[in-house]
Amino acid sequence: MDWFPNFLVFALLGGLGIAVIAAPLGVFMVWQRQSYFGATLAHSALLGVSLGLFWEIDLTLSVLIFSMLIAFGIHQLAQKTQLSSDTLLGILAHSSLALGLATLSLQNTVQIDIMGYLFGDILSVTPSDLILIFAVGFITLIFYLYHWRDLLNITLNPELAQVEGTRVKPIQLQYVLLLALMIALSMKIVGVLLVTSLLIIPAAAARRLARTPEAMLLFSILLGISSVILGLLTSMSLDIPTGPAIVLVATLIFLLLLSKKAPG
C-alpha cells in the first residue's frame, strides 16, 4: 500500500511491541517505586552507544549487552554496598551518562545523530529491530507466566516471600535484566531520556482505573498502545519528533485520569 509505506508499518509495530513489553515491567516498577532504577539504566544505555562506536560493532547489540551488564552490576552492588539505593543509582546514572557523552565527543571521525539516541527516531525501526522486540516480548511473556504470583508476593513483602520459599534474588535479577533489554530496545522508539516515561506513565495512569493487579496490567497495556498510536499520528500531523509526541500523549492521558478517583 503506497499510502502507508513500510517504514510506517515498522514504526507502528515497533512502538506497539515496546508498549506491550513495557506494561508488565512498568506496573511493578510503579508498585516497587523503582522509577529511578529505570532512569539509571536508560542513562547508562548511552554509554553502550559510545562503546559500540568505539569498538565498531552493531550499536543495538552493544547497547543490549552493556545495559544488561549495568543491570547486573546494580543488582549486585545493591546487595553489598552500604549506600542507599537512590544514592547508588544517582551516582551510576549521572556518571555513566557523562562518560558516554565524553566518549562520544572524543570520537571526532564518527558522525552520529545524538538527538536520535536522546529522543528516539521511531521511523528508523528495521525488520531486525522488530525481530528483537518480539523475541524480548516472548521472553517477557514466559517470565510473567511463571513468576506473576511470585512478583506480587515480593512486591508486598520480600522477607515473607523469601520465608515462603520464593527465590527472591534470582527473580529480581531476571526482572532487572528484562528491564535492561526493554530499555535498550526502546532507544530507537522514544530515546534514552524518555524511555522511562513509557514504563511509568501508562502504569501510573492505569492505577486510576484498576481494582486488581491483573486489571492494572491490562489497562497499562491498552494505555501504552493508545499512547503509541496517538503519538505517531500527532507526530505526523504536527511534524514534531515522534518519541516526545508519544510521551506527551501518555502524559495527557494520565492528566485526564488524574481527576478520576482511584477504585477502592
Side-chain angles (χ1 to χ4, degrees):
M1 294 180 289
D2 294 337
W3 56 273
F4 202 68
N6 286 338
F7 71 88
L8 284 180
V9 176
F10 297 154
L12 181 60
L13 290 176
L16 294 180
I18 290 296
V20 172
I21 296 171
L25 297 171
V27 293
F28 281 100
M29 182 178 287
V30 169
W31 287 334
Q32 297 178 7
R33 300 179 181 179
Q34 289 187 331
S35 58
Y36 208 5
F37 182 87
T40 300
L41 286 178
H43 285 70
S44 302
L46 190 62
L47 184 53
V49 173
S50 63
L51 292 176
L53 290 170
F54 181 77
W55 287 320
E56 298 182 350
I57 62 175
D58 181 77
L59 293 186
T60 300
L61 180 61
S62 68
V63 171
L64 283 171
I65 293 173
F66 192 76
S67 296
M68 293 185 70
L69 289 174
I70 287 289
F72 180 78
I74 292 173
H75 182 266
Q76 294 300 110
L77 285 174
Q79 310 296 324
K80 299 177 181 179
T81 183
Q82 298 298 316
L83 292 174
S84 63
S85 59
D86 60 335
T87 300
L88 175 63
L89 292 174
I91 293 170
L92 289 172
H94 297 106
S95 59
S96 60
L97 178 60
L99 181 58
L101 291 172
T103 305
L104 284 175
S105 68
L106 293 174
Q107 300 179 52
N108 297 323
T109 59
V110 177
Q111 298 296 321
I112 182 174
D113 178 17
I114 190 64
M115 295 297 288
Y117 286 100
L118 292 177
F119 298 103
D121 183 10
I122 193 173
L123 299 181
S124 68
V125 171
T126 64
S128 60
D129 293 325
L130 292 179
I131 292 172
L132 280 174
I133 290 171
F134 292 133
V136 173
F138 179 75
I139 294 170
T140 304
L141 174 63
I142 297 300
F143 174 73
Y144 276 89
L145 285 176
Y146 276 96
H147 296 301
W148 173 259
R149 187 56 56 185
D150 292 333
L151 285 166
L152 289 177
N153 292 336
I154 291 171
T155 301
L156 292 173
N157 192 321
E159 290 79 14
L160 182 59
Q162 181 79 47
V163 170
E164 291 178 347
T166 301
R167 298 168 63 245
V168 174
K169 290 183 179 179
I171 291 173
Q172 287 178 327
L173 178 59
Q174 292 172 49
Y175 170 78
V176 299
L177 290 177
L178 278 176
L179 191 59
L181 281 172
M182 183 268 168
I183 288 173
L185 293 175
S186 300
M187 185 178 290
K188 277 192 175 182
I189 308 297
V190 290
V192 169
L193 299 184
L194 302 176
V195 61
T196 313
S197 303
L198 197 59
L199 284 159
I200 296 172
I201 297 175
R207 204 170 193 172
R208 313 298 300 179
L209 301 171
R211 293 180 179 272
T212 65
E214 291 77 12
M216 182 171 168
L217 173 61
L218 177 60
F219 280 120
S220 181
I221 292 174
L222 294 176
L223 293 174
I225 288 174
S226 300
S227 299
V228 169
I229 294 174
L230 294 176
L232 191 56
L233 292 174
T234 301
S235 172
M236 293 171 61
S237 60
L238 299 181
D239 193 25
I240 60 176
T242 309
I246 292 172
V247 175
L248 286 174
V249 168
T251 303
L252 179 60
I253 293 173
F254 171 75
L255 292 175
L256 291 174
L257 293 174
L258 194 60
S259 60
K260 177 180 172 57
K261 183 179 178 180

